[in-house]
Amino acid sequence: PVFLLPRDSEAEEFEALRRPTVFWTKVRPYLSPHVLYGLVRSEICRMTPIQSACVPLMLSHQNVVVRATTGSGKTLAFLVPAYELMLRRHRSRAK
């Protein structure tokens, strides 16, 4: 399945920015300590609305399509789960 996160209007995007932020430590499925450490070292402690919507789906091996404005956190929403899934695959092969 492919999930498209709608962004129909500027009002919806503004409303999304008012939602409570989610900390990376609250992501389920969990992120590994190495990924969390890297985020904290980079002073990226809270997820944007795009990240909090996408990252859990991607960590659960779901396909996600996102369209959002520049600066909304799309790149990190892709890179964090991609890196996490590569770490998991590497660990499972090393055993």
Side-chain angles (χ1 to χ4, degrees):
V2 175
F3 297 93
L4 178 61
L5 302 176
R7 185 188 145 294
D8 295 334
S9 69
E10 295 296 322
E12 285 183 18
E13 187 170 331
F14 179 74
E15 183 63 31
L17 295 175
R18 293 181 20 188
R19 291 185 199 135
T21 56
V22 177
F23 290 93
W24 288 97
T25 53
K26 302 294 183 187
V27 172
R28 302 298 178 266
Y30 295 97
L31 292 170
S32 66
H34 294 291
V35 172
L36 291 173
Y37 178 75
L39 290 166
V40 169
R41 288 275 304 191
S42 300
E43 298 181 4
I44 304 171
C45 299
R46 297 179 185 188
M47 302 170 76
T48 66
I50 290 294
Q51 293 161 350
S52 63
C54 295
V55 170
L57 293 172
M58 294 171 74
L59 289 173
S60 298
H61 303 279
Q62 301 291 322
N63 296 321
V64 180
V65 177
V66 178
R67 181 182 71 187
T69 59
T70 300
S72 61
K74 295 181 301 288
T75 302
L76 206 56
F78 168 76
L79 291 176
V80 169
Y83 186 68
E84 178 67 31
L85 293 173
M86 285 189 292
L87 280 176
R88 290 179 189 177
R89 185 174 297 147
H90 176 73
R91 285 189 199 127
S92 69
R93 289 183 180 169
K95 291 181 180 181

